[in-house]
Amino acid sequence: FFLMIRRPPRSTLFPYTTLFRSACSDDDDNKTDDGWKAISATYTAETLKLTMGGTEVADQSVKVDASSAEQATITLANLIPGEAEVKIEAKMVKTGESYALEGSNTNDLRTVSAKGTVEAGVLTLDATLKITAPIAGTWKLAEIAKDESETFVSGPVSMVWEAAEGTMLGFLPVTSIPNIAEGFGSIALVQVLQSVTFQEDGQIVASISKAGVDLSKPVTPVWETSEPGYASYNVTDKQILVFLDITKIMGSLKSKAAIDPLEQIMALLQNGIPVNYEIAPDGKSARVYIDKALVSQIAPLLPTLAELIGDDALNGMGQLVKSILKAFPEAIDRKSTRLNSSHITISYAVFCLKK
């Protein structure tokens, strides 16, 4: 038997092949990639590789909430100084088996950025802080001014202490303390501190001298820049919140006698030191100061610190300074109505700074 067959015209086959291909294509298009949903998680320990400005950060967690294949929210908890939580809206892009994340959180004073990837359940993330507030930059101490007779007139330290008439601090009337603090404080300060730099990355460094302090004659300072990492900061509208690396500071101290009282102070200030600041309209000078609220917290620890000062220290004024420090807590607690100290040129400043 012979079976005679005839091939249909190409035009007849085309609709069937087209239909077959279309059906296959429709099946492929209906397959969606939901892998982005697995990105949502809290990453910590073995699933987190976190750095801050390139420096490894331990004992942290980062939360990622993916809302789509292209968008996610990164939550940084207790990573940025002074901010319990920072949420960053990040763009998300899939490349192969990994997802890239990048975004920032910006206000008038700073920008927090984050960039990283999630791959095989591990988040690798680098966060950066950029301070954009006007306080960022290098500020020098105000110079000491003297009159024609070489008598101290003003300097980088200024102080106001108001109290009831007749109030004494040890054997000194409280009204005399600001003059003493301004004169001796300014002379001592310019021998050890030349400038302070509030870096854009939130670190504080200073130009310092370890040549010593002499209140009776000039000392030739040997200036060097301090290492970063000992102090960091963040900024609000009216305050600089300063954070000290307690572990690093304690590690740099060799004397156990010096460590014990400092540990108490550091513990007290572990949530940040609130320092008020004001910048002149021309942006060329600033005043940075603390007030009675902060001094009242530190005052109870001053008698302990006083014991670290030798009687012959400070050009023979050690005993005087010790007596003042020991009497200070009672004076500030019971007798003061207003106390401000800062580095500026007006009555209630402690640092007078010039850009």
Side-chain angles (χ1 to χ4, degrees):
F1 295 90
F2 295 93
L3 179 62
M4 301 295 294
I5 61 173
R6 184 176 64 178
R7 180 175 183 177
R10 182 177 296 273
S11 59
T12 306
L13 284 173
F14 182 75
Y16 294 98
T17 57
T18 302
L19 178 61
F20 176 74
R21 290 173 182 169
S22 297
C24 293
S25 299
D26 289 344
D27 289 342
D28 291 339
D29 291 341
N30 288 333
K31 293 181 180 178
T32 58
D33 184 0
D34 292 338
W36 61 270
K37 295 181 179 179
I39 301 301
S40 295
T42 297
Y43 298 86
T44 184
E46 294 83 6
T47 62
L48 177 64
K49 297 178 181 179
L50 179 63
T51 55
M52 182 73 180
T55 302
E56 185 177 349
V57 179
D59 302 323
Q60 288 284 338
S61 65
V62 175
K63 185 179 180 182
V64 178
D65 291 305
S67 56
S68 70
E70 295 82 28
Q71 194 73 28
T73 301
I74 302 171
T75 302
L76 305 175
N78 299 311
L79 180 65
I80 305 302
E83 300 188 48
E85 184 178 271
V86 175
K87 290 184 177 293
I88 297 174
E89 297 302 321
K91 292 183 178 180
M92 188 163 64
V93 178
K94 183 180 181 182
T95 304
E97 297 301 318
S98 68
Y99 287 83
L101 300 166
E102 185 172 3
S104 62
N105 178 307
T106 301
N107 60 31
D108 293 337
L109 302 171
R110 61 96 183 109
T111 295
V112 179
S113 302
K115 183 178 182 180
T117 59
V118 177
E119 185 172 4
V122 176
L123 171 63
T124 302
L125 189 73
D126 182 55
T128 58
L129 170 65
K130 182 178 181 179
I131 303 294
T132 55
I135 196 65
T138 297
W139 300 83
K140 295 182 179 180
L141 290 184
E143 298 177 354
I144 292 178
K146 297 181 179 180
D147 61 18
E148 295 179 353
S149 62
E150 290 297 305
T151 301
F152 175 86
V153 175
S154 65
V157 176
S158 179
M159 184 178 189
V160 165
W161 190 347
E162 295 177 358
E165 186 177 354
T167 299
M168 303 293 290
L169 181 60
F171 57 87
L172 293 172
V174 163
T175 53
S176 69
I177 298 301
N179 288 335
I180 295 174
E182 291 172 4
F184 288 115
S186 293
I187 293 172
L189 188 63
V190 297
Q191 295 180 31
V192 297
L193 180 64
Q194 183 182 43
S195 64
V196 178
T197 299
F198 297 98
Q199 297 183 167
E200 287 186 346
D201 63 358
Q203 293 293 313
I204 301 175
V205 297
S207 178
I208 59 175
S209 172
K210 300 177 182 179
V213 174
D214 194 320
L215 300 178
S216 61
K217 62 180 184 294
V219 171
T220 302
V222 180
W223 300 116
E224 59 183 84
T225 302
S226 63
E227 295 181 13
Y230 285 96
S232 59
Y233 78 105
N234 204 343
V235 182
T236 65
D237 289 336
K238 297 182 179 180
Q239 284 190 328
I240 303 170
L241 202 56
V242 179
F243 294 84
L244 304 177
D245 188 323
I246 299 174
T247 302
K248 192 167 185 176
I249 291 174
M250 294 305 172
S252 67
L253 299 176
K254 298 180 180 179
S255 171
K256 182 67 166 58
I259 290 176
D260 288 342
L262 282 179
E263 281 184 333
Q264 299 177 57
I265 292 180
M266 296 300 184
L268 182 66
L269 303 176
Q270 63 181 344
N271 293 322
I273 305 170
V275 180
N276 304 296
Y277 77 97
E278 294 179 10
I279 298 178
D282 62 5
K284 295 181 180 180
S285 62
R287 58 183 185 178
V288 181
Y289 59 98
I290 59 175
D291 53 26
K292 183 181 176 181
L294 177 59
V295 174
S296 296
Q297 297 181 60
I298 301 175
L301 302 176
L302 294 181
T304 304
L305 284 176
E307 296 302 325
L308 301 178
I309 302 174
D311 292 345
D312 296 329
L314 302 175
N315 301 114
M317 297 186 63
Q319 185 62 46
L320 172 62
V321 174
K322 288 173 67 173
S323 65
I324 292 175
L325 292 178
K326 290 180 179 180
F328 193 85
E330 181 182 359
I332 190 67
D333 184 47
R334 301 180 180 180
K335 303 173 182 178
S336 301
T337 56
R338 175 174 174 238
L339 182 146
N340 293 288
S341 66
S342 58
H343 299 291
I344 26 177
T345 53
I346 66 169
S347 60
Y348 50 91
V350 178
F351 273 124
C352 180
L353 305 174
K354 295 184 178 181
K355 195 86 171 186

